[in-house]
Amino acid sequence: MARATTTRSKVIFTVIGWTIGFLIFFPILWTFLTSFKSEGAAVATPPQFLFFDWTLENYREVQSRSDYFKHFTNSVVISVGSTLIGLALAIPAAWAMAFSPTKRTKDILMWMLSTKMMPAVGVLVPLYLIFRDWGLLDTRLGLVAVLTMINLPIIVWMLYTYFKEIPGEILEAARMDGASLMKEIVYVLTPMAVPGIASTMLLNIILAWNEAFWTLNLTAANAAPLTAFIASYSSPEGLFWAKLSAASTMAIAPILIMGWFSQKQLVRGLTFGAVK
Amino acid sequence: MATLQTRATARIMMSPAVILLFLWMIVPLVMTLYFSFLRYNLLMPGTEEYIGFLNYQYFLTDPAFFTALANTLILVGGTLLITVIGGILLALVLDQPFFGQGIVRLLVIAPFFVMPTVSALVWKNMLMHPVNGLFAWIARLFGFQPIDWFAQMPLFSIILIVAWQWLPFATLILLTALQSLDGEQKEAAEMDGAGAISRFIYLVLPHLSRAITVVILIQTIFLLSVFAEILVTTNGGPGIQTTNITYLIYMQALLQFDVGGASAGGIVAVVLANIVAFFLIRLIGKNLER
C-alpha cells in the first residue's frame, strides 16, 4: 500500500532532487553549452552561461582539422563489431547453460566471471608484443578482437540471466502440441529471448564505446576510436576548450542517449544478476 | 532431464566461447609469467636471459612501487568512500516521490556514460582550471583564493573525477535495492514508533548491505585499474604523486620498454586483483544458488 505523502514533503524533495540532479549533470551540460561558444567566450570570466553568440564553428573546425568522422566510424565499428561477434559466441553458450544445465554449468559461469577480474595491465606486455608481431597494432581488427574477449563474460552472464527466466513449461507445452525443435526455437523461444538479447547488446556497445585502456594503448592515428582521439586534446596548442567541448559532445551524445534507454537493464548487467 | 544427445549439443554450443575465453586468459598470462623471469628490454634486443626473481625483487623494493601502491589504495578507498556514502544519500532522495523524478534519475546516471577521457579533460580544464575554470570563478565569487587543483592536490583531483563517474553506478544499484524493500515493513516500523533515523539504521541499512557489498567489490575491480583519467590529466605526476600500480606498469612497459620488469609488475597486479576477486566471486556464486 502506498503511504500518503504530504504535498509539503513532495515539494521539498522536488527541490532537493532537482538541485542534486542539476549539479551532477552540470559538467555535461557545461560541455554542451561551451561547444557552441567562440574560444574567447569559452574561457571568459565571469563564465557566460546562455548569453553568448551561439556558433557551430567548433563542430566544423573539429571535423576539418582532425578528420573527426574517421574516429567516430572507428568507434562505431569497434563497439558494434565486438558486440555482434560477442553475441554470436555467447548466445549458443548461454542458451546451452540455461536450458540444459549440468553440474559444471555453474563452475563455467564463475570461471568466465573470474577472467573479467584479471587486470588489463597484467597482460599488457604480451598482448602488445603479439599485436606488434602480427601487425595488429593500430588496426580496427585487433581492437575488435580484444574488446570481444573483454566483454564476452558479461554478455554470456547477462544472456544467461535472461534466458533462465524463460519458463521451461512453455517449452514442454509447445512440445506437447507437437512443435518441432526448429519451430520451438523460432516461434516460442526467440520472441521471448529478443528483449534480453537487445538489452545485452545495448549495454555492451556502451561498455565497448567507452573502453579506454586498450584503445589508448593499442592504437595510434589510424584505428583510434573517440576515446583515444579525445585524449589527444590533453596536449593542446592554443585555445581549445570550445573545440574540446564540441568533440566531447559528439563523442558522448549517442552513447548517453542509448544509456538512458537501457538504464533499467544496466543494474542487472553490471552486477552479473547479483542485484535486480 | 537432459538426454545424452542434448548434452552433447549443449557442449558444442558452449565450446567456442569457452575455448576462446580460455585461450584469451591463459596464453597472455603464461607469457607474462615467463617474461617476468627474464631480463628483457626492447631497447636491448638479443640480451634476454633468465634471471630468476630479480625482476620481482626490483619491482617490489622500488620506492616507486610503495608510492604507487599507496596511491592505488587511496584512489580506490577515497572513491569508494565518496560513491558509497553519496550513493546511499542519493538513492534515499530518489526513492522519495517528487515531481519530475524520472528526469532527475536520468540526469543522475548520465556521468556513467561519459567516456573516461572526456570526463577527465572536461573536469581538468573547464572546471578545475586555476584561472579560467568554473570552480576558480566560484571561489573568487565568495572571496576565496582559487585552488590550483592539479598542483596542490593532484590525487584528490583525480579521485573527484573518478568519483563523479562512479557515483551514478552506486546510486543506481542502491536505488534498485532500496525499491525492493517491502513497503509494509517500513509501515509496520513506523506504526511501532520507529523514527526516520532508527528506521534507516535497523531496517534500510541491513536491507542494503548486500547491494553495498556488490557496489564495493565491483567498483574496486574497476578502480584498481584506473588509467585513462591519469594519462590525460597528470601523466602520473607531479613526480609520481598520481601514479597508481596500473600506470606504473604502463610506464615500465611502453615508455621504458622494460618487458621483464613490467611483466613482474603485471603479475603483482594480478595477485592483488585476485584477492578482491576471490570475495566477489564467492558473493555472486552464493547468489546463483538461490
Side-chain angles (χ1 to χ4, degrees), chain A residues 75-92 143-145 147-149 151-152 155-156 159 197-198 200-206 208-209 258, chain B residues 17 20:
Chain A
S75 271
V76 172
V77 170
I78 291 166
S79 57
V80 175
S82 66
T83 302
L84 290 181
I85 299 174
L87 280 175
L89 290 167
I91 289 175
L143 269 190
V144 167
L147 290 189
T148 301
M149 295 322 292
N151 287 334
L152 188 57
I155 303 186
V156 172
L159 288 176
I197 294 174
T200 307
M201 193 166 118
L202 221 52
L203 179 67
N204 274 277
I205 291 176
I206 295 171
W209 185 277
M258 280 176 78
Chain B
L20 278 175

Side-chain angles (χ1 to χ4, degrees), chain A residues 1 3 5 9-11 13-14 16-18 20-28 30-31 34 43-47 49 89-90 92-93 95-97 100-102 104 106 108-130 132 146 149-150 152-153 156-157 160 164 206-207 209-210 212-214 216-217 226-228 230-231 233-234 240-241 244-245 248 251-252 255-256 259-260 262-264 266-267 270-276, chain B residues 2 6-7 10-11 13-14 16-18 20-22 24-25 27-29 31-32 35 40 42 90 92-93 96-118 121-127 129 131-134 137 140 164 167-169 172-173 176-177 180 184 186-187 190 199 210-211 214 218 221-222 225 227-228 231-233 245-246 249-250 253-254 259 262-263 266-267 269-270 273 277 280-282 284-289:
Chain A
M1 204 188 81
R3 285 173 303 160
T5 41
S9 92
K10 207 168 171 181
V11 168
F13 276 107
T14 306
I16 298 175
W18 276 91
I20 293 174
F22 177 77
L23 287 179
I24 290 180
F25 188 71
F26 184 78
I28 298 173
W30 191 234
T31 309
T34 306
V43 295
T45 310
F49 287 93
L89 290 167
W95 196 278
M97 289 177 191
S100 32
T102 61
R104 267 181 302 165
K106 197 192 143 192
I108 295 176
L109 274 168
M110 295 322 291
W111 165 75
M112 283 191 164
L113 182 60
S114 74
T115 66
K116 203 51 206 145
M117 312 291 162
M118 190 160 67
V121 77
V123 293
L124 172 64
V125 173
L127 223 65
Y128 188 86
L129 294 178
I130 292 174
R132 187 196 62 179
V146 167
M149 295 322 292
I150 285 181
L152 188 57
V156 172
W157 260 91
Y160 172 76
K164 257 196 84 157
I206 295 171
L207 290 178
W209 185 277
N210 288 340
F213 182 79
W214 295 112
L216 285 170
N217 279 315
L226 290 169
T227 41
I230 301 278
Y233 278 86
S234 61
F240 72 108
W241 288 9
L244 166 67
S245 298
S248 300
I252 62 179
I255 233 59
L256 184 57
W260 278 339
S262 69
Q263 58 149 333
K264 291 241 161 60
L266 207 65
V267 172
L270 291 170
T271 60
F272 303 97
V275 174
K276 269 187 227 166
Chain B
T6 57
R7 219 176 285 166
R11 206 165 289 163
M13 285 164 81
M14 272 193 297
V18 171
L20 278 175
L21 208 54
F22 182 74
W24 160 255
M25 188 189 73
V27 172
L29 200 58
M31 283 172 78
T32 308
F35 291 151
Y40 185 1
L42 292 179
L90 268 175
L92 285 173
V93 170
Q96 307 295 324
F98 64 81
F99 301 106
Q101 211 175 6
I103 299 170
V104 169
R105 203 179 130 117
L106 291 182
L107 294 181
V108 167
I109 62 169
F112 188 75
F113 303 115
V114 177
M115 53 178 65
T117 43
V118 165
L121 282 177
V122 163
W123 274 75
K124 184 193 176 187
N125 292 299
M126 284 147 61
L127 299 177
H129 191 281
V131 180
N132 303 97
L134 206 70
W137 174 69
R140 279 195 297 267
W164 178 71
L167 184 60
F169 172 79
L172 199 57
I173 286 177
T176 310
S180 69
E184 277 171 29
K186 263 194 275 187
E187 226 172 310
E190 220 169 316
R199 253 182 300 159
R210 182 190 163 72
V214 170
I218 290 181
I221 299 279
F222 282 96
S225 38
F227 173 76
L231 180 78
V232 299
T233 55
I245 299 269
T246 303
I249 298 168
Y250 155 79
L254 298 189
V259 170
S263 298
I267 296 295
V270 170
L280 179 59
I281 298 266
R282 275 183 45 163
I284 294 176
K286 233 180 252 166
N287 188 51
L288 209 59
E289 274 152 19

Side-chain angles (χ1 to χ4, degrees), chain B residues 77-182:
Chain B
T79 310
L80 282 178
L81 203 67
I82 298 175
T83 52
V84 170
I85 293 176
I88 292 174
L89 294 176
L90 268 175
L92 285 173
V93 170
L94 290 180
D95 194 35
Q96 307 295 324
F98 64 81
F99 301 106
Q101 211 175 6
I103 299 170
V104 169
R105 203 179 130 117
L106 291 182
L107 294 181
V108 167
I109 62 169
F112 188 75
F113 303 115
V114 177
M115 53 178 65
T117 43
V118 165
S119 44
L121 282 177
V122 163
W123 274 75
K124 184 193 176 187
N125 292 299
M126 284 147 61
L127 299 177
M128 289 171 153
H129 191 281
V131 180
N132 303 97
L134 206 70
F135 291 173
W137 174 69
I138 294 172
R140 279 195 297 267
L141 211 59
F142 290 99
F144 293 109
Q145 182 69 29
I147 301 166
D148 188 353
W149 291 89
F150 281 95
Q152 287 171 350
M153 38 180 100
L155 192 56
F156 181 69
S157 305
I158 291 180
I159 291 176
L160 268 188
I161 298 173
V162 177
W164 178 71
Q165 290 179 291
W166 284 96
L167 184 60
F169 172 79
T171 306
L172 199 57
I173 286 177
L174 294 171
L175 181 61
T176 310
L178 208 54
Q179 282 167 345
S180 69
L181 181 60
D182 194 354

